[in-house]
Amino acid sequence: MESEGAIGEQPVVEVEIGSLSLSGSPRLAGESLEHIQVLVAARNPLPPITVHRPTMRVIDGYHRLKAARLRGESRIAARFFDGDETAAFVLSVRLNVTHGLPLALADRKRAAERIIVAHPQWSDRRVASVTGIAPGTVGDIRKRVVRAPGPEGRRLGRDGRMRPVDGSNGRILAGELLAENPDLSLRQVARAAGISPETARDVRNRLGNGEGPLPRQRRRETAPDEEQAVEGEFGALRLARPGQRPRQVVAPASDHAVLIKRLMADPALRFSETGRNLLRLLALHTLRKEEWEAIISNVPPHCSDIVADLARQFADLWSEFAERVGEDVAQIG
């Protein structure tokens, strides 16, 4: 998949404005006259546009081209892209989501439909990374526009690797590997189980919380006898420190708010500054699923990569926090 960095490395050339085509824009409502007028009034040199060399169609820079015309200019700075038309559309969406005047949500959803039809083997996360919408929304769109794949179906992830649509077997294998050897890195587990490092992280966190490796929705879709086997093997396991066997734990309550409310009533936490800081941090995670979905759906596309990276970093901090707290409790015991 063509990246913005690769396009940015292409040489800049002067192109005759009259030779360019504006067809195939991912903007359903057309260009913004207000944005074009801002560019015209600025009078600064316009950044290079991106052009599909085989068709001379503008991939990125519709507003800049219109502004250059209104300025009376006959040529404009451009970089060329040489891929096929499908790849050109994907690049157009990616560039129009990440900078300039962002695509409207309706435009991004329509673009996701077109990309899913052209690349049905792409994972929801891969399509989401291009269109700037949530992977769950991509999944809903996929259900409307393509036939659901069978259990043996595979999709291409953001890292360029093919993985099965149903990752249950991979999650179960990852759980076995982590339970046997907690020192394995996420990449080692992911490679051995045929899953993504993020899925391996989720499995590790679930085992660390005394849960099974499968999300609850997948457990409901699993046959009762298979579900019982999975729960029997992992449902009461917690990852142990090196050299220890996995520890038995009590299954956590389904409602986090109830647990945090109990903690807030504990004087040892309520009446110390560090305790109150901890309670404030924990309270942030009591949002309902619908509230999380609303937040995810409204993250601005141009901020999505930064927000995702921060979330992963914070997840790592919480994971380290859980391990250190668990070690302190074990030492006291």
Side-chain angles (χ1 to χ4, degrees):
M1 183 163 56
E2 187 68 59
S3 67
E4 297 168 59
I7 286 296
E9 294 170 1
Q10 297 300 313
V12 177
V13 297
E14 291 288 324
V15 178
E16 289 286 344
I17 289 179
S19 67
L20 300 174
S21 168
L22 286 174
S23 64
S25 171
R27 300 182 187 274
L28 300 177
E31 294 77 24
S32 166
L33 294 178
E34 181 180 358
H35 188 59
I36 293 172
Q37 290 169 357
V38 169
L39 294 175
V40 172
R43 306 302 301 180
N44 295 324
L46 297 169
I49 65 175
T50 304
V51 177
H52 185 223
R53 195 195 305 267
T55 62
M56 294 301 288
R57 181 170 60 81
V58 175
I59 292 175
D60 177 51
Y62 295 84
H63 293 96
R64 280 166 277 166
L65 180 60
K66 290 288 186 73
R69 284 177 173 172
L70 289 176
R71 288 181 178 186
E73 298 171 0
S74 61
R75 300 174 70 85
I76 190 169
R79 291 187 173 96
F80 281 116
F81 172 72
D82 293 302
D84 60 29
E85 291 199 45
T86 300
F89 178 77
V90 171
L91 180 61
S92 177
V93 174
R94 176 183 286 279
L95 292 176
N96 280 279
V97 162
T98 55
H99 68 244
L101 184 66
L103 289 176
L105 179 59
D107 295 336
R108 286 180 274 137
K109 288 183 176 181
R110 181 66 185 88
E113 290 183 12
R114 182 169 167 180
I115 292 172
I116 289 169
V117 171
H119 299 284
Q121 77 280 14
W122 281 17
S123 69
D124 292 347
R125 289 185 180 278
R126 188 179 179 94
V127 176
S129 72
V130 173
T131 57
I133 57 180
T137 303
V138 175
D140 292 338
I141 294 172
R142 185 187 299 276
K143 293 174 184 176
R144 298 200 310 266
V145 299
V146 297
R147 183 178 62 85
E152 72 285 354
R154 299 173 70 83
R155 290 193 188 137
L156 186 67
R158 294 178 62 181
D159 58 2
R161 294 184 60 188
M162 295 294 294
R163 294 189 176 86
V165 175
D166 182 1
S168 299
N169 292 335
R171 280 177 168 270
I172 293 172
L173 177 56
E176 293 173 350
L177 293 171
L178 287 167
E180 292 172 2
N181 190 348
D183 289 333
L184 289 175
S185 71
L186 293 176
R187 292 195 177 277
Q188 288 174 318
V189 174
R191 191 178 303 113
I195 58 178
S196 70
E198 286 301 313
T199 301
R201 184 194 303 277
D202 182 68
V203 171
R204 185 182 68 177
N205 291 341
R206 288 177 181 281
L207 296 185
N209 291 329
E211 300 177 88
L214 302 181
R216 290 181 182 177
Q217 182 177 1
R218 293 191 186 177
R219 290 179 190 169
R220 289 196 298 268
E221 296 169 353
T222 304
D225 55 344
E226 184 179 349
E227 178 180 350
Q228 186 176 0
V230 171
E231 285 297 333
E233 188 171 359
F234 297 103
L237 291 180
R238 182 183 293 277
L239 291 183
R241 298 193 303 278
Q244 291 185 332
R245 293 180 59 82
R247 294 182 282 131
Q248 298 290 322
V249 295
V250 178
S254 59
D255 189 354
H256 295 166
V258 173
L259 290 176
I260 294 174
K261 186 175 181 180
R262 293 176 187 170
L263 291 174
M264 287 181 171
D266 190 325
L269 294 173
R270 289 176 58 193
F271 299 123
S272 70
E273 184 64 29
T274 56
R276 289 192 293 271
N277 286 337
L278 174 59
L279 292 173
R280 280 193 287 268
L281 288 172
L282 292 173
L284 292 173
H285 299 282
T286 59
L287 295 176
R288 300 189 309 275
K289 180 180 178 181
E290 308 81 61
E291 294 175 302
W292 280 114
E293 289 295 335
I295 292 173
I296 293 170
S297 299
N298 287 281
V299 173
H302 62 281
C303 301
S304 59
D305 287 343
I306 297 175
V307 172
D309 287 339
L310 286 172
R312 293 187 188 99
Q313 293 175 36
F314 294 151
D316 288 337
L317 289 173
W318 274 114
S319 180
E320 181 182 357
F321 174 84
E323 291 175 5
R324 293 185 62 181
V325 170
E327 289 174 0
D328 291 344
V329 171
Q331 290 172 2
I332 293 173

